[in-house]
Amino acid sequence: MKLLVTGGAGFIGSNFVRYMVNKYPDYNIVNLDLLTYAGNLENLKDIENKPNYKFVRGDIADRDFVQGLFQEEKFDFVINFAAESHVDRSITDPGIFVQTNIQGTLALLDAAKSFDVKKYLQVSTDEVYGTLGETGYFTEETPLAANSPYSASKAGADLLVRAYHETFGLPVNITRCSNNYGPYHFPEKLIPLMIINALNDKELPVYGDGLNIRDWLYVEDHCQAIDLVLHKGRDGEVYNVGGNNERTNIDIVKTILKQLGKPESLIKYVKDRPGHDRRYAIDATKLRTELGWQPKHNFDTGIKETIDWYLNNREWWENIISGEYQEYFKSQYGDRLGVE
Ligand code: NAD
Ligand code: DAU
């Protein structure tokens, strides 16, 4: 069995590649990644020499390159993680989100169709459903109502995937997961940003009133869900993934400070994200009942393990934040935190 995993050098992709390389020694796994700012081969150091693993650098939106790779490798399965993934960046520069998330998905779908792959799995997000009020959950039937350029590009990609199933009979699945956390999470996102700022005694920028809610899932539980859908998902179906773990942002930030023994005076409420979705909450009944998925990690132990991982892997994140990340931080937070 030959698998193409795109975006396998990013946060979730690298956790998934490790999970699959170790679980299926007789599968051949090809990781295609452009190595943008978010891609990092350090994430895969421990498995890079495994005989069932190969890395290829390239752009999923480069149609000729993608067709050539499919012709050469004859993939059975394609799992598309590759994306521009950060909402705040999509607000300042939407174009690259359309390019990678929509054009890239289209190029992969065309190649999957030309070379008869057995399954194309699109890794999507709960953000395509928009926002919830104080009650209710996203189900697979919730209409798409994306609110950010990021989620709009992911919703556009989801509709293309659906269309390739309906129109051309391509065997596809779409997974829509809630917020992930765990090792190798890039420090532009809430949890790693707050851990690292706290460790460096820097202010923790909380958007708006801090009461927006996200539904957090440990990354390995997401990987396990994708493995199940890949092997057992019914063609053409969407599966929501989420662990019923809703938390306000301020609760997350205070939990991190408490574990690190840092003062709450580091918290700074800053200007809100434009179009900030208030609440996400996933109903994963379909995945649980149809495919028997059960998350293994609870949040209290998962967040502790995650914080410990950042404490024990300083070199990994110090390398990241010493580079172009400095410019990014200044452009996103300079005004909000009043720092040069
Ligand atoms: P990430 O930003 O950490 O990683 C994205 C990876 O894609 C990087 O390695 C990057 O180099 C690669 N990439 C970007 N553009 C590329 C291109 N044109 N060609 C090839 N590779 C390219 O993202 P993540 O948080 O790991 O998210 C992975 C996927 O999961 C995304 O599709 C995202 O929408 C989805 N998702 C993420 C979350 C979450 O909480 N992080 C939740 C649900 C769904
Ligand atoms: O729900 C799944 C989505 O989760 C994925 O599709 C996205 O790829 C992923 O980035 C994530 O999106 P969010 O916007 O929810 O994640 P982020 O970590 O950027 O923000 C989480 C919450 O924390 C959100 O309400 C905004 C808030 N926040 C974020 C940052 C970076 C802050 O208050 N301060 C910050 O500095």
Side-chain angles (χ1 to χ4, degrees):
M1 206 58 89
K2 194 175 263 193
L3 268 68
L4 173 64
V5 178
T6 71
F11 163 47
I12 308 175
S14 62
N15 279 284
F16 182 74
V17 166
R18 176 177 298 99
Y19 174 93
M20 296 297 278
V21 161
N22 289 328
K23 180 166 177 190
Y24 298 104
D26 53 342
Y27 283 15
N28 288 309
I29 294 162
V30 177
N31 172 13
L32 166 62
D33 197 296
L34 186 56
L35 300 182
T36 67
Y37 78 91
N40 187 352
L41 291 179
E42 289 298 315
N43 299 4
L44 292 163
K45 269 271 166 251
D46 54 325
I47 58 120
E48 68 183 2
N49 294 321
K50 294 261 185 180
N52 60 338
Y53 170 72
K54 175 166 130 184
F55 175 70
V56 177
R57 187 172 190 182
D59 185 347
I60 58 162
D62 180 340
R63 300 181 64 82
D64 292 343
F65 164 77
V66 168
Q67 287 279 333
L69 184 70
F70 275 66
Q71 181 152 39
E72 200 179 304
E73 298 280 0
K74 309 273 183 300
F75 298 115
D76 298 292
F77 293 157
V78 175
I79 305 108
N80 182 27
F81 289 91
E84 287 293 333
S85 68
H86 192 37
V87 173
D88 292 328
R89 289 184 192 254
S90 81
I91 295 167
T92 36
D93 185 13
I96 187 67
F97 285 72
V98 172
Q99 175 66 12
T100 291
N101 300 359
I102 299 184
Q103 296 289 4
T105 298
L106 182 63
L108 291 170
L109 287 168
D110 278 332
K113 172 171 157 270
S114 302
F115 295 96
D116 293 326
V117 305
K118 296 187 182 74
K119 178 79 85 183
Y120 176 96
L121 193 154
Q122 177 76 358
V123 181
S124 187
T125 166
D126 59 356
E127 297 200 13
V128 299
Y129 298 123
T131 188
L132 291 165
E134 280 176 19
T135 56
Y137 294 90
F138 296 134
T139 72
E140 290 81 359
E141 276 70 50
T142 303
L144 303 193
N147 289 320
S148 72
Y150 160 70
S151 51
S153 69
K154 293 293 290 186
D158 282 12
L159 292 176
L160 280 172
V161 175
R162 176 190 156 89
Y164 270 59
H165 176 70
E166 297 295 328
T167 308
F168 304 115
L170 190 70
V172 305
N173 283 121
I174 297 173
T175 55
R176 296 192 180 131
C177 190
S178 58
N179 288 62
N180 286 213
Y181 69 100
Y184 303 105
H185 204 178
F186 192 84
E188 64 191 351
K189 308 283 169 41
L190 179 77
I191 288 181
L193 179 84
M194 298 299 166
I195 295 172
I196 290 170
N197 276 18
L199 285 171
N200 287 333
D201 297 310
K202 287 172 78 173
E203 286 178 316
L204 310 191
V206 173
Y207 297 165
D209 61 7
L211 297 178
N212 297 65
I213 290 173
R214 296 293 181 264
D215 183 356
W216 294 94
L217 184 72
Y218 195 72
V219 63
E220 197 179 84
D221 288 323
H222 186 190
C223 295
Q224 201 203 358
I226 293 173
D227 179 17
L228 269 177
V229 173
L230 186 67
H231 290 97
K232 297 188 180 155
R234 282 184 293 129
D235 285 350
E237 293 294 313
V238 175
Y239 293 90
N240 281 352
V241 188
N244 286 107
N245 180 48
E246 292 179 49
R247 309 270 160 158
T248 61
N249 294 336
I250 193 65
D251 177 43
I252 298 277
V253 170
K254 287 184 178 171
T255 302
I256 291 169
L257 286 170
K258 190 163 175 216
Q259 193 178 318
L260 291 174
K262 298 285 183 177
E264 290 188 5
S265 56
L266 285 176
I267 295 171
K268 178 149 185 206
Y269 289 93
V270 299
K271 191 163 156 258
D272 209 352
R273 171 186 281 175
H276 196 176
D277 287 335
R278 191 63 172 172
R279 173 172 168 258
Y280 302 148
I282 278 278
D283 179 342
T285 306
K286 182 173 170 182
L287 182 68
R288 286 175 187 267
T289 54
E290 212 177 274
L291 305 186
W293 177 74
Q294 193 66 45
K296 289 199 179 110
H297 299 260
N298 75 48
F299 189 73
D300 292 340
T301 53
I303 191 71
K304 192 176 173 310
E305 279 169 31
T306 302
I307 294 172
D308 285 345
W309 187 88
Y310 281 85
L311 283 167
N312 294 330
N313 290 275
R314 265 183 176 270
E315 206 183 326
W316 180 86
W317 55 263
E318 278 176 350
N319 280 340
I320 293 172
I321 66 167
S322 63
E324 64 179 323
Y325 180 86
Q326 292 289 333
E327 288 309 307
Y328 165 77
F329 194 83
K330 245 186 266 168
S331 71
Q332 279 295 333
Y333 297 99
D335 288 347
R336 280 171 160 147
L337 293 175
V339 290
E340 293 284 297

